Amino acid sequence: MSILQFDLTRYLKGKSDALGPGIATGFALCVGLNILSYLLFICHYFLTNHAGRFPWISPNDQLFAGRWFAIFFYSLTGFANTPALQQIMGILLHCLAAFCLALLWQRQTERRSQILVVTLVATLYPANLAAFYYTWQVGVFFGAILLVVLGLMVADSFRFFRFALGSLCITLGLATYQPSLSVAATILMACIVLEIIYSPPGTLFISLWRRQIPRLLALLAGGFGYLLSLRILGLEVNSVHSLKIVTLSELPVRIQQVVVESFLSLVYTQPDIRTVLRTLLLVASGLAMAELFSTLLRRYKGRELIMRLVLLTLASLGLVIATKALFLISNNNYFWQYRYNFSLSYFFAFIFFILSSWRKPPLFRSSILVLCCATIFLFMQSDLLRQGVLLRGQEHDLALANRMLQRIEQLPELDLSKEYYCVRTGPYPPIRMNMMHSSNKFFGRGGDHHMDHGEITDVWNPAYVFTYLGSKIRWAKGGHYMPDFSEKMQEAKRIAKAQHRKPWPHNSSIFIHNDWIIIYM
């Protein structure tokens, strides 16, 4: 058949029919629960501390970070940061990625119920909140994940076309969002674990060579392809937010640090993963490991059993460390930031994939079902609670900004024909974190710095919110970005103290100094 005769609708229907009844319904259910879980992100046009990006997205927005293929996902919405459409597109991309991955893993066990469990756990895990918080990038985050998942699915053999296509997908995934490397590494290690568990006796190394080594080499080829693309495009990426490469002299200490942080990520609580949920995840992880080792004991004997036990132990440790794969090569120290740890979504998806393969006894299967349902419910609860906090935080910040603007406009020396820098010496009150800590709800590590602390306009663009509120003041740089903002903040503090001013909300806290409007916090 020529490409001109290819019927996409018929092809997709054939694949769906081959998977069996209920697959389309299951996918629709996953999308529906995602829409419910991220409903406030969809219904409200949240102002984040990157609010200056509304409503349009620059085509070159992420070039400074080496994410040159992000432009493709921006183009899907016409380079517009559109309400609702942006979020629903992200949900569809992520559900498709998780669904494809579930199908990949499910080939080993042939249990279709696992597809639903994997998709829901991967897409509802609270770290995904960060993707929706950065509204203009939600398609970039989940598009990158879809690309690396497809790359690993395709590159399951040494056949040139499949290997080349898989490597290309991984290159494009990294060129969209580099932390997708950790997602790819986690998925690959999970595939290796499944190979150790389910490959027929005497065929382990052949199976690894035929299916998993091509994936490993495709991942490496995709990484080299991405680095080569940066050189070809002349992009110098040296940002801790993207890919500032670790030097060889730093590598030994870095490896030790990454190993420690990988395991601590499974233990410490975070704003959206409190004690009860963290305990459930630890229990699930322990049960999944027990199931893996007990499966080996049932399936194999003698020397092969010993060999597979050793390999499974190493692969299980590697699976945990793989969740921080990006940090092994990048000098990025945001070990706890949600947006750099989407890989944990797929780690726990694999954990529940293993648990949902538990076949007997019936009492354990019922207990596992309850554990899965409870975990997914708590994921949804955490997602919705965080969105409620963000909504209340936005209302608080807008009310506070209105009061500040009223004070500014009442300053007698204000000249509307003059251009001013707005210099705020500190953040707004931390209402979001106060709400997250309410009722003595404490946690060991933060979630995502901007989402935890960031008011709707940060210290580098404090004037931008005033333009939303109808200010007629002429702000330097349009209020978008204040160059040398750290130095200006320190100088503004010195001026305020020298003039014996008192912090907000005192009447003397807002004043004009030359071409600066200073808000002393």
Side-chain angles (χ1 to χ4, degrees):
M1 178 189 297
S2 72
I3 192 170
L4 295 177
Q5 296 174 308
F6 178 71
D7 188 334
L8 178 61
T9 304
R10 181 177 298 177
Y11 174 80
L12 292 175
K13 185 178 185 303
K15 287 294 183 182
S16 177
D17 293 342
L19 291 171
I23 289 296
T25 303
F27 184 80
L29 176 62
C30 292
V31 172
L33 288 176
N34 268 262
I35 290 174
L36 175 61
S37 298
Y38 302 112
L39 187 62
L40 292 183
F41 276 126
I42 295 171
C43 295
H44 291 274
Y45 203 28
F46 276 116
L47 295 169
T48 69
N49 69 346
H50 290 72
R53 299 177 184 273
F54 285 66
W56 298 102
I57 307 168
S58 168
N60 300 327
D61 178 70
Q62 292 296 302
L63 282 183
F64 79 97
R67 300 167 188 164
W68 52 266
F69 198 65
I71 190 174
F72 170 77
F73 293 98
Y74 291 152
S75 70
L76 295 181
T77 55
F79 299 98
N81 189 7
T82 51
L85 177 62
Q86 197 93 354
Q87 289 71 37
I88 292 176
M89 181 186 75
I91 286 172
L92 290 172
L93 289 172
H94 202 198
C95 285
L96 182 59
F99 212 73
C100 290
L101 179 62
L103 292 174
L104 172 65
W105 286 343
Q106 177 263 344
R107 292 174 189 171
Q108 295 279 17
T109 60
E110 298 181 355
R111 299 197 65 185
R112 302 193 187 282
S113 60
Q114 295 170 309
I115 299 174
L116 186 65
V117 172
V118 168
T119 305
L120 289 176
V121 171
T123 56
L124 299 180
Y125 183 72
N128 295 308
L129 285 163
F132 292 93
Y133 179 76
Y134 301 95
T135 53
W136 79 102
Q137 282 195 293
V138 62
V140 169
F141 292 136
F142 295 140
I145 292 174
L146 176 59
L147 284 169
V148 298
V149 168
L150 292 177
L152 292 174
M153 286 186 70
V154 171
D156 60 352
S157 74
F158 283 111
R159 283 184 288 177
F160 175 78
F161 179 76
R162 298 185 70 90
F163 182 83
L165 182 59
S167 301
L168 176 62
C169 286
I170 291 169
T171 295
L172 295 179
L174 296 177
T176 304
Y177 189 58
Q178 296 94 336
S180 60
L181 172 67
S182 297
V183 176
T186 302
I187 293 170
L188 176 60
M189 288 307 304
C191 290
I192 291 173
V193 168
L194 290 176
E195 208 72 65
I196 294 171
I197 295 295
Y198 291 110
S199 60
T203 66
L204 174 59
F205 291 108
I206 296 175
S207 298
L208 287 172
W209 174 258
R210 288 178 176 174
R211 283 196 290 265
Q212 308 312 329
I213 297 302
R215 289 185 173 124
L216 173 60
L217 294 177
L219 180 57
L220 294 174
F224 283 119
Y226 170 63
L227 295 176
L228 180 62
S229 73
L230 294 179
R231 182 174 292 274
I232 293 173
L233 295 172
L235 299 176
E236 294 184 8
V237 181
N238 195 30
S239 168
V240 294
H241 296 286
S242 50
L243 200 65
K244 185 178 180 181
I245 302 295
V246 174
T247 63
L248 288 177
S249 60
E250 297 172 327
L251 194 57
V253 175
R254 189 66 173 178
I255 291 174
Q256 181 182 358
Q257 188 179 17
V258 168
V259 170
V260 171
E261 294 291 348
S262 299
F263 285 92
L264 289 179
S265 295
L266 306 182
V267 178
Y268 274 107
T269 54
Q270 292 180 271
D272 309 286
I273 308 174
R274 304 297 179 86
T275 303
V276 173
L277 181 53
R278 177 59 74 195
T279 301
L280 286 180
L281 292 174
L282 284 172
V283 169
S285 300
L287 290 173
M289 290 297 110
E291 169 64 8
L292 288 173
F293 282 95
S294 64
T295 300
L296 275 187
L297 294 173
R298 291 195 305 267
R299 291 173 62 92
Y300 307 102
K301 303 293 182 183
R303 291 182 179 178
E304 181 155 6
L305 173 61
I306 295 173
M307 176 191 67
R308 289 185 185 244
L309 284 172
V310 172
L311 291 176
L312 178 59
T313 302
L314 295 174
S316 299
L317 295 174
L319 176 63
V320 177
I321 298 169
T323 61
K324 295 283 191 286
L326 174 75
F327 299 97
L328 287 171
I329 62 172
S330 174
N331 197 17
N332 178 334
N333 290 318
Y334 298 128
F335 291 107
W336 298 89
Q337 301 275 354
Y338 287 161
R339 66 188 185 278
Y340 298 109
N341 287 282
F342 295 134
S343 51
L344 286 171
S345 303
Y346 288 85
F347 172 84
F348 288 112
F350 181 68
I351 290 298
F352 281 92
F353 171 83
I354 295 300
L355 288 181
S356 59
S357 67
W358 206 316
R359 297 178 183 272
K360 57 183 181 181
L363 177 61
F364 280 106
R365 290 181 60 188
S366 300
S367 301
I368 295 303
L369 177 61
V370 171
L371 178 61
C372 290
C373 292
T375 302
I376 291 170
F377 171 77
L378 289 176
F379 282 175
M380 297 177 68
Q381 180 197 66
S382 296
D383 294 339
L384 288 166
L385 282 174
R386 169 68 83 153
Q387 292 165 73
V389 167
L390 291 175
L391 180 59
R392 296 292 173 259
Q394 175 172 301
E395 292 170 347
H396 166 272
D397 290 355
L398 286 173
L400 184 59
N402 257 312
R403 292 169 59 199
M404 290 179 174
L405 179 59
Q406 185 178 23
R407 291 266 198 98
I408 292 171
E409 292 176 339
Q410 291 173 351
L411 293 171
E413 63 270 42
L414 179 66
D415 183 356
L416 292 179
S417 65
K418 188 177 178 180
E419 193 173 77
Y420 294 95
Y421 280 107
C422 182
V423 185
R424 197 178 72 218
T425 63
Y428 287 176
I431 183 173
R432 294 162 183 78
M433 290 306 291
N434 290 342
M435 291 177 69
M436 297 302 290
H437 280 299
S438 63
S439 302
N440 296 318
K441 301 293 186 182
F442 296 101
F443 35 85
R445 292 288 188 275
D448 188 276
H449 175 74
H450 290 307
M451 192 165 63
D452 290 345
H453 302 282
E455 57 271 19
I456 56 177
T457 49
D458 217 320
V459 290
W460 62 73
N461 61 351
Y464 203 78
V465 66
F466 299 140
T467 65
Y468 285 125
L469 299 175
S471 169
K472 300 299 182 182
I473 300 170
R474 294 177 58 200
W475 300 108
K477 305 290 185 182
H480 285 275
Y481 182 78
M482 181 171 62
D484 304 319
F485 66 91
S486 296
E487 292 80 0
K488 286 184 172 67
M489 286 172 60
Q490 295 305 315
E491 178 64 14
K493 286 181 183 178
R494 187 193 64 76
I495 294 169
K497 290 177 180 178
Q499 295 182 9
H500 305 289
R501 306 240 175 211
K502 293 183 180 180
W504 174 269
H506 195 270
N507 287 335
S508 66
S509 60
I510 296 180
F511 61 100
I512 294 178
H513 179 81
N514 296 329
D515 62 343
W516 291 6
I517 295 177
I518 297 175
I519 305 173
Y520 182 38
M521 302 295 288

